[in-house]
Amino acid sequence: MSGPLLLALTLIAVYWLARVGRAARLSLRPAQAWWAVPGLALLLLAPLLELPALFGVGAALLLLSEFAPAAFTPAPADLPGRWAQAGWPLVGVVLGAGLLTALPGAPAAEQAALLPLGAAALLAGGAGLLGALLIPPLHRRTPLGFQVRWNRAVTPEWPDLSVTVTEQGAYLKNVSGRALRLAGWSPAGLNAWYRVRGPGGTPLLELRSGQEALLPVTAQDSGVRVWYAPLRADEAHLFRADWTPPARAESRVLN
């Protein structure tokens, strides 16, 4: 195997591990992104077996892991502790390091098996350790109180919520793909604080993915402000939505 190819594959592995680490900080875990592990293993195996077809399959798996819609999915809420999660990944790291250590003294026929297996175990174990160590702790049992109304709030680049204005009120929907802890809401322009409630009037402390809540806005209201936080985040998030009040719909000007 040539040095440039080995360097290129190492850089791809480092990039993938960095991507897994960034996703873990956002409480995301690899799903279809795991195809990168067999993909890199096949890229290593192709020159050793002199089978160019394996190189094409490995490259296809890498592309799938990079651009698949479900490359990463939200981490489940019932994850065990960090060290419990790190058990099997640590075994993979030790096993992969052991296989790669035995590589120099092995016969050429065995190297074709030891190199991809060791690299795959090391890569998968390293990704598992990153997920166990970097995923934020769960804050499901920590309710958000009135103090978040006055604390600094983060406005995400991509909204976690959507709003649909109807005659009954504004329907708030969780479109983030993960559960959200709810603090409260206020009509735009008002110094108010209301609890978020479901369509039936039940107070909601958490909004599951795809779940809706009903904000009882009036025909004179021109928007809403909702304070919330992901399950695995400490800082409060702020959702802003503005519209032309239905009472002034006839005077709306389209630009």
Side-chain angles (χ1 to χ4, degrees), residues 13-203:
V14 171
Y15 161 77
W16 185 75
L17 287 175
R19 189 170 177 237
V20 171
R22 289 195 302 269
R25 291 185 178 277
L26 298 175
S27 301
L28 300 175
R29 305 193 74 178
Q32 294 180 356
W34 282 116
W35 285 113
V37 176
L40 280 170
L42 290 178
L43 291 181
L44 284 170
L45 194 60
L48 295 176
L49 299 181
E50 297 183 355
L51 291 175
L54 292 181
F55 195 92
V57 175
L61 293 179
L62 282 179
L63 291 174
L64 177 63
S65 72
E66 179 70 19
F67 299 107
F72 293 89
T73 56
D78 56 350
L79 285 176
R82 294 187 186 277
W83 296 111
Q85 297 179 54
W88 282 111
L90 189 59
V91 171
V93 170
V94 173
L95 178 62
L99 292 175
L100 294 180
T101 302
L103 189 63
E110 295 182 5
Q111 289 183 357
L114 290 178
L115 181 58
L117 286 177
L122 191 62
L123 188 62
L129 283 179
L130 286 175
L133 298 177
L134 296 181
I135 286 183
L138 184 63
H139 297 286
R140 178 188 291 275
R141 297 180 181 177
T142 305
L144 295 173
F146 178 64
Q147 74 279 358
V148 303
R149 173 68 174 80
W150 310 107
N151 295 344
R152 187 182 69 87
V154 176
T155 301
E157 182 178 358
W158 294 98
D160 296 316
L161 300 165
S162 68
V163 66
T164 303
V165 182
T166 67
E167 295 181 354
Q168 291 77 29
Y171 281 90
L172 187 73
K173 184 176 182 180
N174 181 357
V175 295
S176 67
R178 55 183 176 176
L180 303 173
R181 294 181 294 145
L182 298 172
W185 73 280
S186 171
L190 295 181
N191 187 13
W193 181 261
Y194 303 109
R195 281 292 180 186
V196 180
R197 299 178 181 271
T202 305

Side-chain angles (χ1 to χ4, degrees), residues 196-224:
V196 180
R197 299 178 181 271
T202 305
L204 298 176
L205 297 178
E206 180 180 311
L207 198 64
R208 299 186 304 274
S209 176
Q211 185 180 4
E212 288 187 337
L214 179 60
L215 308 181
V217 297
T218 66
Q220 286 75 33
D221 290 321
S222 60
V224 293

